[in-house]
Amino acid sequence: MRKTVLAGNWKMYKTQAEALEFLKGFVSHLEDTPDERDVILCVPYTALGSLSKNLHGGRVRLGAQNVHWEDCGAFTGEISAPMLTELGVDYVVVGHSERREYFAETDETVNRRLKAAQAGGLTPILCVGETKAQRDAGETEAHIFSQLENGLVDVDQNKLIIAYEPIWAIGTGDTCEATEANRVIGLIRSKLTNADVPIQYGGSVKPANVDEIMAQPEIDGALVGGASLEPESFARIVNYKA
């Protein structure tokens, strides 16, 4: 049985005080949220500790936005899986397009991070997706299949979430057509050894389009950027109308 997973990726937004203020306005909207919907906030490292204390035993789970492949070492600026789990973190985003574009992330380093996350007790959210140039050149499928083939070597697909994020739709206001997102996610699923891996859609998901997106049979949730920064906006997404 595939899970429904709705995750907010705050990126480099919100101080600790702003994160706690968000929580006050958000949690009250979850009283009627169906239990089978997993709700995750993937927040900056600085907000993990304070949010963990306030989310303990609650409806919302905590996620980080990256993890290193070693448990410790001379890796200035990096955070390890044991450091995250100590804070009560359950999930971590791995291989987001911004990490690949701005911080030289490769399929090899993504693979190492995925394995380290799982070994450390975290469930990784693996991001895959194509650029506008790749889509225009008809390379969408080949590119994503390559990301999966190289990224998932020796990765346990029983403890994994995948997010399909067409890069051209992230933060641009351009959303991939729901039926096209459904098609690509179906192709991603066909390449997995575990067909029950939850596969999210990400890329300008917002209250106005979430119902249509979540009505698609292959889509198991959403990885939400900008629309997860406002409590009412993300609450509407979490409480999408099935």
Side-chain angles (χ1 to χ4, degrees):
M1 186 72 178
R2 284 156 34 198
K3 282 186 175 182
T4 300
V5 184
L6 300 134
N9 175 20
W10 284 1
K11 308 189 180 184
M12 199 175 69
Y13 290 100
K14 294 194 186 298
T15 63
Q16 292 183 62
E18 291 168 339
L20 292 175
E21 188 64 27
F22 171 95
L23 208 56
K24 289 179 185 177
F26 179 62
V27 174
S28 62
H29 293 286
L30 304 181
E31 294 176 0
D32 297 322
T33 302
D35 290 339
E36 62 270 17
R37 298 183 189 181
D38 288 353
V39 182
I40 307 168
L41 289 176
C42 299
V43 306
Y45 292 130
T46 53
L48 289 173
S50 55
L51 280 188
S52 179
K53 293 174 184 176
N54 285 272
L55 291 174
H56 183 69
R59 183 72 175 76
V60 182
R61 309 293 288 278
L62 194 58
Q65 297 174 13
N66 196 21
V67 63
H68 198 262
W69 53 79
E70 298 289 349
D71 285 350
C72 60
F75 303 102
T76 301
E78 291 290 324
I79 306 291
S80 70
M83 294 173 181
L84 294 175
T85 55
E86 183 184 39
L87 290 173
V89 175
D90 294 308
Y91 298 87
V92 61
V93 178
V94 175
H96 191 280
S97 62
E98 290 158 4
R99 299 294 313 175
R100 296 177 191 259
E101 180 178 359
Y102 302 128
F103 302 102
E105 194 80 81
T106 66
D107 289 339
E108 180 188 4
T109 59
V110 165
N111 177 251
R112 296 174 74 183
R113 294 184 200 275
L114 288 171
K115 290 185 289 188
Q118 291 183 337
L122 299 166
T123 298
I125 301 173
L126 166 64
C127 297
V128 298
E130 80 282 6
T131 65
K132 183 71 163 61
Q134 288 164 335
R135 172 162 282 267
D136 290 345
E139 299 170 355
T140 295
E141 292 83 353
H143 177 68
I144 292 173
F145 292 166
S146 177
Q147 288 182 314
L148 293 171
E149 181 180 358
N150 295 314
L152 292 179
V153 175
D154 296 327
V155 170
D156 182 1
Q157 294 188 19
N158 294 308
K159 195 174 183 182
L160 176 70
I161 298 166
I162 293 176
Y164 167 54
E165 292 200 308
I167 297 170
W168 49 272
I170 299 175
T172 63
D174 293 332
T175 308
C176 182
E177 290 290 336
T179 51
E180 173 61 8
N182 186 72
R183 182 188 74 84
V184 175
I185 286 174
L187 291 174
I188 291 171
R189 196 179 307 284
S190 73
K191 295 296 180 179
L192 303 177
T193 57
N194 177 14
D196 288 333
V197 171
I199 307 179
Q200 305 170 298
Y201 169 75
S204 297
V205 178
K206 43 190 176 282
N209 61 25
V210 68
D211 295 342
E212 181 184 8
I213 290 168
M214 291 305 301
Q216 301 299 315
E218 294 289 350
I219 300 179
D220 301 320
L223 183 59
V224 186
S228 72
L229 295 172
E230 296 295 331
E232 292 77 13
S233 172
F234 191 45
R236 172 63 181 85
I237 289 170
V238 166
N239 294 315
Y240 68 87
K241 294 176 175 58

